Amino acid sequence: MDVKLSQCFIAVDDHDKAIAFYRDVLGLEIRNDVGFEGMRWVTLGSPLQPDVEVVLEPPDASPDASPADKQALNELLAKGLLRGVIFTTPDCDALYERVRESGADVLQEPTDQAYGVRDCAFRDPAGNQLRFIERPTR
């Protein structure tokens, strides 16, 4: 069976701030920017992975969520408790410096992990945790 990742979703409370971070700091390209019924979805991706996309969506985008659930999701996002994604990079230290200089909230400086990668972590403008790993070269 051939299964590949196509899209992953990250909740954001301000698309313009998120775009400035994901596009201008991380270098992802905007592939789509859609408004529908008062909501907005922005799709971005790495030029190195044309078939994988990150979708920035409002935390309360699900039409099936109750008003209480939507409020809870917005509160969890505000606290930085929703999960983000893990990116790979060939140079964790250089990426760390670039993202740190952007003013992003640093969660972890580059660290050699016992499980064989070097990684660092930040919060995006919405508070999502993002990790960046550098795999060892063989």
Side-chain angles (χ1 to χ4, degrees):
M1 186 181 262
D2 291 339
V3 177
K4 294 177 10 178
L5 177 67
S6 172
Q7 295 177 323
C8 63
F9 294 80
I10 297 177
V12 299
D13 55 356
D14 184 321
H15 282 86
D16 294 327
K17 286 182 183 176
I19 288 169
F21 178 78
Y22 286 94
R23 181 192 60 204
D24 302 339
V25 177
L26 297 184
L28 301 182
E29 59 188 14
I30 294 177
R31 297 194 180 148
N32 209 353
D33 190 339
V34 177
F36 180 72
E37 294 186 4
M39 288 198 239
R40 183 178 180 193
W41 292 266
V42 177
T43 305
L44 303 109
S46 167
L48 302 173
Q49 292 180 295
D51 57 344
V52 178
E53 298 175 326
V54 174
V55 181
L56 306 177
E57 68 173 356
D60 56 358
S62 174
D64 299 322
S66 69
D69 289 341
K70 289 180 180 191
Q71 179 179 346
L73 286 168
N74 278 293
E75 290 171 0
L76 288 170
L77 178 63
K79 292 178 182 180
L81 295 176
L82 296 181
R83 301 294 295 185
V85 297
I86 299 174
F87 293 92
T88 61
T89 180
D91 188 341
C92 182
D93 294 272
L95 182 130
Y96 171 81
E97 287 303 322
R98 178 180 171 94
V99 177
R100 184 187 61 76
E101 289 172 3
S102 78
D105 183 20
V106 175
L107 297 177
Q108 175 197 306
E109 294 181 2
T111 304
D112 291 321
Q113 302 293 352
Y115 44 89
V117 301
R118 183 166 180 78
D119 70 355
C120 61
F122 294 90
R123 291 207 186 279
D124 74 2
N128 296 296
Q129 181 183 144
L130 305 177
R131 299 194 75 78
F132 299 88
I133 65 171
E134 177 183 341
R135 293 191 172 104
T137 55
R138 299 197 188 259

